[in-house]
Amino acid sequence: MSAQANGWSHFAHEADIGLAASGPSLGDVFERVATAMTGAITDPELVRTNEKVTVHCEAPDIELLLVEWLNALVFEMATRGMLFGRFEVRIDGCRLVGTAWGEKISRERHHPAVEVKGATYTGLSVHRRGGSWVARCVVDV
Amino acid sequence: MELSRLEKVSPFEWRIAPHGEMRVPAVLYGDEQLIRDMDDKVYEQVTNVATLPGIVTASYAMPDAHWGYGFPIGGVAAFDPEAGGVVSAGGVGFDISCGVRTMVTGLKREDVEPVKEELADTLFAAIPAGLGSTGEISLSDAEMTAMLAGGARWAVDRGFGAPADLDRIEESGCMPGAMPDCVSDRARQRQRREMGTLGSGNHYLEIQEIVRIHDGDAARAFGLAVGELVVGIHCGSRGLGHQIGTEFLRDMAIEDARLGLKLPDRELACSPIDSDLGRRYLGAMRAAINCAFANRQIIGHLVRQALCAVLPRTEATLLFDVSHNTCKVEEHTINGKARQLFVHRKGATRAFGPGHASLPGALRPIGQPVFVGGSMGTASWILAGTATSERRAFSSACHGAGRRMSRHQARKNWRGDDVVRDLAHRGTLIRSPSMRGVAEEAPAAYKDVTAVIEATHEAGLARKIAELRPLICIKG
């Protein structure tokens, strides 16, 4: 399945990488933006999902919550030396419990292209369009 | 960018008069083509910066400016604490104190050609590069604190390099005012296995041949001669800097909202210099500068060992080490009056002119070396600050060519192994753990650095000294 068919894509940014996603619920969109972030590093389908990590985030609004979620994953990837291929997010107001499944980075199998340094607030948006949710975020690589 | 929106001051300087919320004008450096090729987002971002409290003289964009986040990459802005000036975590960016170190080897190209493959393999094995690589050095909490306070001095005390190196690093290798207490546990945790690592993306380690000298006297003073080789190291403060940038950006954005400060872009999140949060950010950011100094000092030491393993008795001496993502307190003269300003350079290299008191004796008559990185196959440059650098843009110059194509597009256009083969035919050996990374960093994905250098020279930001060509490139 293509990235677009899975509800996420990358948009062009001169220096870095733009992540975009849409979905029926806010939780779906957060999961798909996270997959798009893995897609900036490697093909998410190459990542085995045999280790589970849970993170808790909160923020004053839903856009900052998206950045918190992505940055929590950046931290877990960096300190555990892992990549994540599957996500599950439960959102309650401006709080979130997220679960990520993945494995240790294998340079031979994943050929990681870049390291995500952090998620930025530039062009950041989370909003409803028609019956679905859409989100955009630029990550610094 | 539409030229009609700008006032042409000279063939290399363009001005945007203050309008809307702008407190000062914006000034862009570049020739007509460079300015025309800049994204409209650069216009938006350089004018947004001009709205920040306490900004002095102008918001500047260097000739390599491109669309960043908050500030443009290639953005320079100075703030006066006595006029309510701010410090911005987004104005420094995530890769705090990313910079370039250049070492002179005394080797000639013919010395290396017979052992080029072996040298490339040895360097690739010695210097951890790319996502998932870790350093040999693991720091305890106490050692981490000592490193954050001591910078390259800490590294020299631990046996990485020599005391003579310190004179050739900005701030003599140790950033004053660092506050390790302001660096969170999470930032420390991200750095635990990353000392002495190169990182990924556009970071590199290169063996470069000097192919042209543009200023003989300055080149001699810098120890540069045509046909000789130098080492270029481009990297920053690694995970520690990224985490500090992340945390303070969030804290500043939340605090700005609480105080009702209206910003045109949330990424411009900032705090008054004279505030608790501003002071804590400055303390943590300076600790990250020390982390970057220590990191490049360790990598420089590993490079020396690798060079000697292949070419015994090689002596690589440090020419200079300077950052291009920082906020520094500097004295600048505004309308005849000396003022202490907080100068943000995001993707812009400090370029002190001749006679600056902070430069070591041997470099002082010439001006501070400025290093402009290439992109695997393309030239890198050594420039120097000039007498006009200060009044042009608070002694700042360009830092690289800038991308002309997104990573996604580059991946569609090229395969990594083809790029490696093509560059090998042209005399540049690439070593990288990721062929996808090489495709995304393909030389043709970047703009031509020559036009950027010409504009930097002609605008009086810095002057041309030497042009370099890569022979070996280790890419993260």
Side-chain angles (χ1 to χ4, degrees):
Chain A
M1 281 240 283
S2 72
Q4 281 75 12
N6 282 315
W8 63 267
S9 61
H10 293 150
F11 64 89
H13 180 279
E14 268 193 316
D16 297 304
I17 296 179
L19 314 178
S22 62
S25 75
L26 210 43
D28 292 326
V29 170
F30 274 50
E31 290 166 12
R32 290 170 185 185
V33 177
T35 308
M37 182 162 73
T38 299
I41 304 165
T42 189
D43 178 352
E45 294 191 1
L46 294 176
V47 182
R48 294 172 188 152
T49 51
N50 38 23
E51 257 187 81
K52 178 177 145 181
V53 175
T54 301
V55 300
H56 297 257
C57 308
E58 63 176 292
D61 63 54
I62 201 70
E63 289 180 343
L64 293 188
L65 187 65
L66 176 64
V67 170
E68 285 297 297
W69 160 236
L70 295 176
N71 281 332
L73 293 172
V74 167
F75 178 81
E76 297 300 336
M77 285 194 286
T79 52
R80 294 173 189 269
M82 286 181 73
L83 290 172
F84 299 114
R86 186 161 81 83
F87 306 91
E88 200 174 281
V89 172
R90 278 189 293 121
I91 296 175
D92 177 13
C94 286
R95 287 167 187 241
L96 162 161
V97 181
T99 310
W101 286 266
E103 63 170 329
K104 292 268 184 273
I105 295 169
S106 158
R107 287 151 65 107
E108 293 70 34
R109 217 153 33 76
H110 300 129
H111 300 284
V114 293
E115 173 183 33
V116 176
K117 296 171 189 165
T120 80
Y121 299 159
T122 284
L124 173 66
S125 74
V126 180
H127 61 273
R128 281 194 83 98
R129 195 166 59 203
S132 26
W133 284 92
V134 289
R136 285 165 77 88
C137 181
V138 174
V139 290
D140 186 2
V141 297
Chain B
M1 188 182 298
E2 189 54 58
L3 292 179
S4 62
R5 301 172 78 189
L6 311 168
E7 176 201 338
K8 187 174 180 177
V9 179
S10 79
F12 297 95
E13 183 179 340
W14 308 73
R15 187 173 179 275
I16 303 168
H19 60 271
E21 303 291 312
M22 288 171 72
R23 297 165 194 259
V24 292
V27 174
L28 293 87
Y29 291 104
D31 64 22
E32 211 170 290
Q33 193 61 45
L34 283 167
I35 301 289
R36 195 179 283 127
D37 289 347
M38 282 181 192
D39 197 287
D40 283 337
K41 289 275 183 191
V42 175
Y43 183 102
E44 189 183 313
Q45 293 185 328
V46 77
T47 53
N48 282 347
V49 172
T51 69
L52 294 177
I55 186 166
V56 174
T57 312
S59 161
Y60 296 99
M62 298 291 107
D64 54 336
H66 52 284
W67 176 21
Y69 41 96
F71 279 50
I73 311 293
V76 176
F79 298 86
D80 185 348
E82 290 179 17
V86 292
V87 58
S88 169
V92 173
F94 291 103
D95 206 356
I96 298 169
S97 198
C98 185
V100 179
R101 161 176 294 224
T102 298
M103 300 196 291
V104 178
T105 67
L107 293 167
K108 294 188 169 33
R109 184 178 173 185
E110 52 268 31
D111 298 329
V112 163
E113 281 299 345
V115 292
K116 200 166 153 189
E117 294 275 351
E118 185 191 349
L119 181 58
D121 292 338
T122 306
L123 288 166
F124 188 47
I127 289 89
L131 184 62
S133 64
T134 52
E136 296 283 312
I137 305 152
S138 178
L139 300 184
S140 67
D141 269 348
E143 275 296 282
M144 180 77 73
T145 297
M147 181 275 287
L148 294 173
R153 279 188 206 163
W154 167 87
V156 169
D157 286 346
R158 299 301 181 276
F160 301 103
D165 294 337
L166 298 173
D167 201 28
R168 295 302 185 103
I169 305 172
E170 60 175 322
E171 311 294 345
S172 303
C174 180
M175 185 71 209
M179 299 197 287
D181 287 357
C182 296
V183 176
S184 70
D185 287 343
R186 284 168 77 85
R188 289 161 182 259
Q189 219 175 314
R190 269 180 83 167
Q191 192 59 24
R192 203 141 281 152
R193 301 179 307 163
E194 296 200 347
M195 289 311 294
T197 64
L198 202 55
S200 66
N202 62 3
H203 295 150
Y204 63 76
L205 158 65
E206 285 188 346
I207 304 293
Q208 303 160 327
E209 179 189 3
I210 300 162
V211 290
R212 203 162 294 125
I213 297 288
H214 293 267
D215 181 328
D217 290 343
R220 264 187 297 283
F222 285 0
L224 309 172
V226 169
E228 293 193 353
L229 308 184
V230 300
V231 179
I233 299 167
H234 175 214
C235 65
S237 53
R238 310 291 298 113
L240 181 124
H242 308 167
Q243 189 66 24
I244 289 172
T246 298
E247 291 171 3
F248 280 94
L249 186 63
R250 176 197 58 205
D251 293 351
M252 286 180 177
I254 292 172
E255 181 73 355
D256 290 345
R258 198 181 65 79
L259 296 173
L261 179 63
K262 291 260 180 289
L263 295 170
D265 178 348
R266 274 180 152 183
E267 188 71 27
L268 290 171
C270 54
S271 284
I273 292 160
D274 187 16
S275 69
D276 179 53
L277 185 53
R279 276 187 289 273
R280 280 192 288 118
Y281 173 67
L282 285 164
M285 191 260 312
R286 289 166 181 158
I289 291 177
N290 279 333
C291 180
F293 288 166
N295 197 41
R296 290 195 289 270
Q297 182 67 23
I298 293 169
I299 293 174
H301 174 73
L302 297 175
V303 169
R304 283 172 171 152
Q305 285 183 328
L307 280 171
C308 284
V310 179
L311 293 153
R313 289 182 297 283
T314 300
E315 278 186 37
T317 55
L318 184 50
L319 168 55
F320 206 65
D321 182 313
V322 62
S323 310
H324 46 237
N325 286 351
T326 55
C327 172
K328 306 284 281 282
V329 185
E330 293 167 10
E331 185 176 290
H332 290 284
T333 306
I334 312 286
N335 301 326
K337 192 181 157 211
R339 286 157 78 175
Q340 296 289 321
L341 302 178
F342 286 65
V343 184
H344 293 62
R345 297 187 181 89
K346 186 175 189 182
T349 311
R350 195 191 70 178
F352 284 153
H356 196 281
S358 78
L359 297 176
L363 302 180
R364 200 172 298 156
I366 309 296
Q368 180 216 299
V370 169
F371 306 121
V372 182
S375 43
M376 295 198 290
T378 59
S380 290
W381 284 77
I382 297 177
L383 314 179
T386 71
T388 54
S389 301
E390 183 175 20
R391 60 178 179 274
R392 290 286 179 273
F394 299 112
S395 304
S396 310
C398 59
H399 85 308
R403 293 189 77 90
R404 70 176 182 88
M405 190 184 291
S406 71
R407 292 179 173 277
H408 184 68
Q409 190 59 45
R411 208 160 66 237
K412 277 187 177 169
N413 286 12
W414 300 288
R415 282 172 50 104
D417 48 2
D418 290 339
V419 173
V420 169
R421 221 175 0 254
D422 179 46
L423 287 170
H425 282 303
R426 288 153 53 187
T428 306
L429 294 182
I430 306 295
R431 293 291 184 271
S432 172
S434 170
M435 284 302 112
R436 175 176 159 175
V438 169
E440 293 184 6
E441 288 287 321
Y446 283 84
K447 292 177 200 158
D448 177 13
V449 77
T450 315
V452 168
I453 297 297
E454 287 303 323
T456 300
H457 182 89
E458 294 296 334
L461 296 164
R463 68 187 202 280
K464 295 187 286 188
I465 308 295
E467 188 177 344
L468 317 169
R469 188 182 74 94
L471 294 184
I472 295 171
C473 175
I474 311 298
K475 201 78 183 160

